[in-house]
Amino acid sequence: MPERRYDERDVRIRPGRGSRPRTKQRPAHDDARSAMVVAVDRGRYTVLVEPGTPDETRALAMKARELGRQRVVPGDRVDVVGDTSGGRDTLARIVRIGERRTVLRRTADDTDPVERVIVANADRLVVVTALADPEPRTRMIDRCVVAAYDAGMDVLLALTKADLAPPDELVAMYAPIGVEVVVTSRAEDPVTGERVLTGLDEVRAALDGRVSVLVGHSGVGKSTLVNALVPDARRAVGVVNDVTGRGRHTSTSAVALALPGTTTPTWVVDTPGVRSFGLAHVEPDRLVRAFGDLAEVARECPRGCTHLAGSPDCGLDDWVAEAPDDATRDARSARVDSFRRLLVSRLGTADPEDPVR
């Protein structure tokens, strides 16, 4: 049989893949509709198509093959095609992921090179911490603050269970670095006798008009707070183990929820409880940039200055010492000490007997 020859105009056919020719051209998807990802569950994505408009619909979607390994997370703005009616047994396709304003990430630990994207396009990280049962873990809070500042987000510290312990110490620790604090308590309703949360109005005011992501250890009351803010959320609530002092993971996937009772569109993203918050993705020299006043001072530091306590000729110490009065000196000192605490948390140079929690 004579040998068959092909010239450059021939189309290569993939064996076993049919007769469709390979091409790098992708469809333009000019008919795609904009959507917001509100939940992710085992390769299926719940999206709000045309969110905030009279045409808003909730639909189920899958990721288009051309997106490859690009990860889609709650908060992502995407383009979808296909059946976006949201009817039963319908499935749309996500064909594009929009540019992300912010990306909140974490790693399993400080040596893990794999970044885990938690949420996209959030404005604020809400660190939910119980004042007791379980005890607050300040190193965990510090790490969350570092990740938020690195992502360009601001931070709200939501302290729960104030009926069990006072919040004053934690408020004093985080106020100097610009962390806003809200406090909730559990109290008995005088009419129904049921246990209810107080302080919710302050929490709603702090979240109003923003996309906020809630992060916290299991058992701190995060899901309880979400259920109180969004009565239709029905997030699973767990209890704290009497032996370990830790909660059991109850929420298994992240979900974005519209917050009722606010003056402007507001979203909260509830995430599964975490037991670690690695910061391998955060470069230490980027941390100081999150503190505008300290970054300005740090420019005068000698090359190679770590900005840690005891660093020779560190400009931060001079800035504190040169304060014009005692009140200013105390405020500057508190801010520098708080910044250095965050830096120590990132560098992993804390007391080795104090595990990262």
Side-chain angles (χ1 to χ4, degrees):
M1 179 181 294
E3 181 181 356
R4 185 176 181 182
R5 299 180 180 275
Y6 294 88
D7 62 28
E8 294 179 353
R9 293 170 295 179
D10 287 319
V11 176
R12 292 182 179 180
I13 306 299
R14 291 175 290 177
R17 298 290 182 90
S19 59
R20 177 179 295 179
R22 285 190 294 182
T23 175
K24 292 184 179 181
Q25 293 182 343
R26 300 298 184 190
H29 297 303
D30 294 331
D31 59 339
R33 303 179 69 188
S34 62
M36 173 183 174
V37 178
V38 295
V40 179
D41 185 17
R42 291 170 292 187
R44 291 293 182 264
Y45 305 88
T46 303
V47 299
L48 284 185
V49 182
E50 307 293 350
T53 71
D55 297 326
E56 177 181 296
T57 56
R58 182 178 292 261
L60 190 65
M62 62 178 290
K63 189 171 65 173
R65 181 178 298 176
E66 57 257 39
L67 292 182
R69 295 190 177 184
Q70 294 183 65
R71 190 175 179 190
V72 180
V73 298
D76 265 328
R77 298 287 177 158
V78 297
D79 289 341
V80 294
V81 299
D83 193 334
T84 59
S85 66
R88 184 176 179 179
D89 297 328
T90 61
L91 189 64
R93 284 186 301 127
I94 297 173
V95 295
R96 280 189 293 267
I97 304 172
E99 184 178 354
R100 293 165 170 170
R101 293 186 295 106
T102 62
V103 180
L104 180 65
R105 302 178 174 91
R106 75 179 182 95
T107 56
D109 54 47
D110 289 342
T111 61
D112 185 2
V114 180
E115 297 180 6
R116 291 158 175 80
V117 178
I118 300 174
V119 68
N121 300 315
D123 307 298
R124 166 167 277 189
L125 176 62
V126 182
V127 185
V128 184
T129 301
L131 290 162
D133 189 32
E135 295 298 317
R137 296 167 181 167
T138 55
R139 288 193 64 196
M140 174 69 175
I141 301 173
D142 290 346
R143 286 169 165 267
C144 291
V145 172
V146 170
Y149 283 166
D150 183 70
M153 302 164 58
D154 60 20
V155 183
L156 175 70
L157 181 58
L159 300 177
T160 65
K161 306 183 185 181
D163 49 301
L164 301 180
D168 305 34
E169 183 178 353
L170 284 180
V171 172
M173 286 181 67
Y174 292 97
I177 50 175
V179 174
E180 186 180 350
V181 181
V182 291
V183 181
T184 66
S185 299
R186 295 172 296 187
E188 185 177 298
D189 188 299
V191 178
T192 65
E194 297 179 352
R195 298 282 285 178
V196 296
L197 284 183
T198 63
L200 292 179
D201 289 342
E202 290 76 9
V203 177
R204 286 193 188 92
L207 302 177
D208 198 348
R210 297 169 177 259
V211 177
S212 300
V213 53
L214 279 67
V215 171
H217 280 290
S218 298
V220 298
K222 179 169 59 64
S223 294
T224 298
L225 179 61
V226 170
N227 288 336
L229 292 168
V230 188
D232 293 336
R234 299 185 181 90
R235 299 295 275 174
V237 177
V239 295
V240 177
N241 187 297
D242 292 334
V243 176
T244 65
R246 293 184 174 183
R248 179 174 58 86
H249 293 300
T250 50
S251 301
T252 58
S253 61
V255 59
L257 303 162
L259 188 65
T262 55
T263 58
T264 51
T266 303
W267 291 88
V268 292
V269 182
D270 186 25
T271 63
V274 296
R275 288 189 176 144
S276 66
F277 211 103
L279 299 173
H281 63 289
V282 179
E283 294 296 332
D285 62 351
R286 289 209 310 256
L287 180 56
V288 71
R289 300 175 196 170
F291 301 83
D293 51 350
L294 301 188
E296 192 70 27
V297 174
R299 290 178 182 173
E300 304 302 321
C301 289
R303 179 183 292 272
C305 180
T306 64
H307 310 308
L308 293 169
S311 298
D313 302 320
C314 180
L316 299 181
D317 294 318
D318 295 337
W319 182 63
V320 173
E322 294 167 359
D325 53 64
D326 291 342
T328 304
R329 184 177 299 106
D330 290 344
R332 289 183 179 183
S333 179
R335 186 160 172 79
V336 170
D337 289 345
S338 296
F339 161 70
R340 283 174 168 165
R341 190 182 70 246
L342 299 184
L343 187 57
V344 164
S345 181
R346 167 58 189 94
L347 294 172
T349 54
D351 186 343
E353 298 300 320
D354 181 17
V356 175
R357 294 183 289 178

